[in-house]
Amino acid sequence: MTAHLPLTDFIEYPQDEMLKRAQDNYQQVKRRHSIRSFSDRAVPQAIIEQCILAAGTAPNGANHQPWHFVAISRPEIKAQIRQQAEALEQAFYAGRAGEEWLTALKPLGTDANKPYLEHAPWLIAVFSQKRSEDEGEQKTNYYVHESVGIATGFLIQALHYAGLATLTHTPKPMSFLSKVCGRDNDNERPYMLIIAGYPAAEATIPQHATDKKPLHDICDFL
Ligand code: IYR
């Protein structure tokens, strides 16, 4: 028999309150927008730590927790990331993306310049792990992509809830992040870079990004 504990921290709400909570949560998450103009105002590490702890509670395969987060605030490391990401993005926007992809990005107004990679106080690199080490033994991880995707979602939500603006960034290829973060090994792959901080005073959101599909387009009830 494996040890099990009683579930003591589940909170039951009356159903009218559940609906209100669900509505409130929707209104809160609706206010999360990807922005591309960050202030250089500092954000205490203690806030980032709590958000990463929240990400680490994500459901995942066999509870192997196949992730690692590298939270970067040092200006010289952010400068390296900006320089290398921009070099890749230049090739992407110069044609590597292909015509269809570039057309899809037009309404967002993005380009190869990524000043926010230096301006924002925090860059959080998320890595996935193929294997975990447990008391010196190597074990295979399961549902790695799903697990790390959920943890990244939790992280974005935690940062938003804390009061920070975010942007997801996936320069292609991302292998340079492994080197910059000192995680260049056979077991770990860079998954995503999350930029977090205060929005710059002039921050905007592309109108295109506010056009969300209605419920009947994204859901069936059977
Ligand atoms: N990584 C590039 C391009 C890009 C791709 C997608 I899909 C986006 O939704 C936004 C941007 C960039 O950051 O500019």
Side-chain angles (χ1 to χ4, degrees):
M1 252 298 268
T2 55
H4 277 245
L5 304 172
L7 174 65
T8 54
D9 51 4
F10 179 84
I11 302 176
E12 181 173 322
Y13 302 99
Q15 290 192 343
D16 56 346
E17 200 178 328
M18 284 169 70
L19 177 59
K20 172 83 170 59
R21 291 175 63 86
Q23 288 166 333
D24 287 350
N25 180 60
Y26 172 45
Q27 294 307 317
Q28 290 302 316
V29 299
K30 260 175 83 167
R31 295 191 302 97
R32 192 210 61 80
H33 307 289
S34 293
I35 58 150
R36 293 177 175 80
S37 189
F38 283 83
S39 154
D40 61 4
R41 213 168 137 192
V43 169
Q45 181 172 320
I47 298 170
I48 303 302
E49 287 175 5
Q50 293 303 308
C51 296
I52 292 171
L53 282 168
T57 69
N60 67 90
N63 199 32
H64 289 190
Q65 305 160 64
W67 44 61
H68 190 85
F69 301 91
V70 179
I72 301 147
S73 62
R74 277 163 47 189
E76 68 276 16
I77 303 183
K78 291 193 285 186
Q80 274 183 52
I81 291 177
R82 176 183 180 182
Q83 194 255 318
Q84 300 200 47
E86 284 185 339
L88 290 168
E89 297 291 2
Q90 268 147 21
F92 175 90
Y93 284 97
R96 200 167 48 78
E99 206 180 315
E100 185 182 356
W101 197 347
L102 291 178
T103 304
L105 291 178
K106 271 263 159 62
L108 295 178
T110 54
D111 60 30
N113 297 316
K114 309 293 175 197
Y116 49 77
L117 292 173
E118 278 187 271
H119 295 167
W122 289 100
L123 309 180
I124 307 173
V126 183
F127 291 86
S128 66
Q129 300 175 326
K130 282 191 282 188
R131 295 176 304 280
S132 297
E133 208 182 283
D134 190 17
E135 291 170 0
E137 254 181 71
Q138 290 284 323
K139 35 182 212 183
T140 303
N141 291 335
Y142 306 100
Y143 298 105
V144 171
H145 213 75
E146 293 83 347
S147 302
V148 180
I150 300 169
T152 304
F154 273 35
L155 176 61
I156 293 166
Q157 152 61 16
L159 292 163
H160 172 63
Y161 187 76
L164 291 167
T166 52
L167 175 68
T168 53
H169 188 49
T170 49
K172 251 190 177 175
M174 266 192 293
S175 37
F176 75 90
L177 269 184
S178 305
K179 292 202 180 69
V180 174
C181 295
R183 306 205 70 86
D184 189 16
N185 57 66
D186 169 57
N187 189 36
E188 295 180 312
R189 297 266 169 287
Y191 183 83
M192 199 174 280
L193 187 64
I194 308 292
I195 295 108
Y198 289 96
E202 70 278 10
T204 59
I205 48 175
Q207 190 177 341
H208 171 76
T210 65
D211 182 17
K212 300 303 181 197
K213 292 180 180 176
L215 186 62
H216 64 84
D217 277 359
I218 62 168
C219 179
D220 288 317
F221 289 91
L222 301 180

